[in-house]
Amino acid sequence: MSIALIVHGGAGTWRPGSDADALAGIRRAVKAGRDILERQGSALDAACAAAVVLEDESVFNAGTGAVLNFDGFVEFDACVMTSHDKGIGAVSGLQRVQNPILVARQVMEMTDHVMLTGDGATRFARVMGHPDYDPVTPARLADWQDKKQKLAFGIGRDPQASMKIRAFLQSHPEYAGGTIGAVALDAQGHLCAATSTGGVTMKLVGRVGDTPLPGCGTYASIDAAVSATGTGEYVVRSFAGREIADRVARGVALDTAMNAVLDQMQADFNADVGFIALDRHGRTVAAHRTAHMPHGWFRNDGLTEARMQA
Ligand code: GLY
């Protein structure tokens, strides 16, 4: 039986000079997941371990270093999904924890629910032993202040603020944020997808993206597991994760399925998104419609690789 893992650090336009940090983080995440799978560990443990590494790397928009919302604080979304038992755990609008993916996993393992949101998610995290943690880095705070200044908006003073944000982010895609994700296949043939994000930069408070929505930004079936990145509204409106996996279930090759969904999303929305995925045979695929998407993988054939572009 094959084992394999693929991770991503967010689709978008990466600032010149951030490539080396991103690829180093990707390699560490692949190693963390690989070590677990090679010791016959579960896809769930491997995907979560890789996601934790990426959350802890401040270069990525998840965990420490996540982007700030419109009001200047971080709201996390995260989801984990397992193929064999249809397990799902998700959080949205979670605040002030170090590793949102672990809280999502605890929702799956410790509650009867699929998703906890907002204050309830944060309260649950505290009960589960996650201490208060400030994820805001000086770099992200400076980004946020810079954006505020460039946008020259003020809540209540400028009714066109959201239009300005949209135009601003289109002309400065390097601000758009990203997401991290990990998808793993273990020796039992079980697939797992894990995705975690601070969401899109300058989002309205309470905005929920694709990441915590099963079948959208995160999905695992017995045929394929998928993690998405990029502007989540397009991923949600395309039910992209499930769409890719369902095509694989119908016999379409994973790379063909992913590119067909990306083509459709480009036709529908000109969507700035990307995906990683893994099928039950251990085939890894990454594709994106953005300038960059740092990603890396290992497969049973011994191939390990990390790249900024697919
Ligand atoms: N894909 C991450 C988000 O839109 O929140």
Side-chain angles (χ1 to χ4, degrees), residues 61 77 178-179 197-200 203 207-212 228-233 235:
N61 173 22
D77 292 342
T179 294
T197 187
V200 291
K203 65 186 181 182
R207 178 263 190 188
V208 177
D210 61 306
T211 294
T229 167
T231 302
E233 280 72 9
V235 178

Side-chain angles (χ1 to χ4, degrees), residues 1-305:
M1 188 65 81
S2 294
I3 56 171
L5 176 113
I6 182 165
V7 308
H8 71 76
T13 300
W14 281 67
R15 288 186 178 89
S18 59
D19 318 29
D21 288 346
L23 290 178
I26 291 287
R27 287 193 188 93
R28 278 194 284 275
V30 171
K31 181 177 180 340
R34 178 180 192 155
D35 286 350
I36 289 170
L37 292 172
E38 287 182 343
R39 292 196 308 265
Q40 306 298 307
S42 70
L44 174 63
D45 283 345
C48 287
V52 163
V53 170
L54 296 169
E55 286 180 336
D56 288 344
E57 294 283 347
S58 62
V59 72
F60 301 116
N61 173 22
T64 304
V67 299
L68 281 61
N69 64 17
F70 192 88
D71 284 12
F73 62 94
V74 176
E75 293 171 292
F76 295 116
D77 292 342
C79 182
V80 62
M81 186 162 178
T82 49
S83 62
H84 58 294
D85 56 357
K86 300 187 190 300
I88 303 173
V91 289
S92 61
L94 173 68
Q95 290 184 44
R96 297 187 68 90
V97 300
Q98 185 170 357
N99 293 114
I101 198 67
L102 299 182
V103 184
R105 179 176 178 167
Q106 285 167 320
V107 171
M108 180 175 81
E109 293 181 328
M110 308 297 285
T111 81
D112 296 320
H113 309 309
V114 162
M115 185 189 295
L116 294 176
T117 191
D119 290 346
T122 307
R123 182 172 162 191
F124 173 73
R126 300 284 177 261
V127 169
M128 288 291 108
H130 298 265
D132 182 57
Y133 178 81
D134 182 1
V136 179
T137 59
R140 289 295 192 203
L141 186 58
D143 273 356
W144 182 80
Q145 285 162 342
D146 185 40
K147 280 174 211 137
K148 282 202 82 166
Q149 195 187 15
K150 284 185 174 152
L151 286 164
F153 65 75
I155 299 169
R157 285 191 284 117
D158 186 351
Q160 297 302 311
S162 66
M163 299 301 291
K164 286 183 181 175
I165 291 169
R166 181 179 287 261
F168 179 80
L169 292 178
Q170 276 169 356
S171 54
H172 297 281
E174 68 275 18
Y175 275 118
T179 294
I180 66 89
V183 179
L185 172 69
D186 65 27
Q188 283 69 50
H190 299 158
L191 287 157
C192 175
T195 316
S196 178
T197 187
V200 291
T201 191
M202 304 298 272
K203 65 186 181 182
L204 296 181
V205 175
R207 178 263 190 188
V208 177
D210 61 306
T211 294
L213 301 181
C216 298
T218 308
Y219 191 64
S221 71
I222 57 168
D223 300 293
V226 182
S227 173
T229 167
T231 302
E233 280 72 9
Y234 301 136
V235 178
V236 175
R237 292 161 74 186
S238 307
F239 299 96
R242 173 135 192 187
E243 184 62 37
I244 292 169
D246 280 359
R247 286 172 191 242
V248 174
R250 294 197 294 270
V252 177
L254 183 60
D255 56 345
T256 306
M258 186 182 290
N259 279 301
V261 170
L262 278 167
D263 288 347
Q264 187 62 52
M265 293 176 75
Q266 192 154 20
D268 290 343
F269 309 114
N270 193 23
D272 54 341
V273 297
F275 302 102
I276 55 168
L278 185 53
D279 70 14
R280 62 195 168 92
H281 307 292
R283 287 184 282 246
T284 59
V285 178
H288 53 103
R289 296 290 189 266
T290 53
H292 309 120
M293 185 180 75
H295 64 286
W297 69 90
F298 94 92
R299 296 196 293 255
N300 227 11
D301 58 12
L303 188 63
T304 303
E305 188 70 58

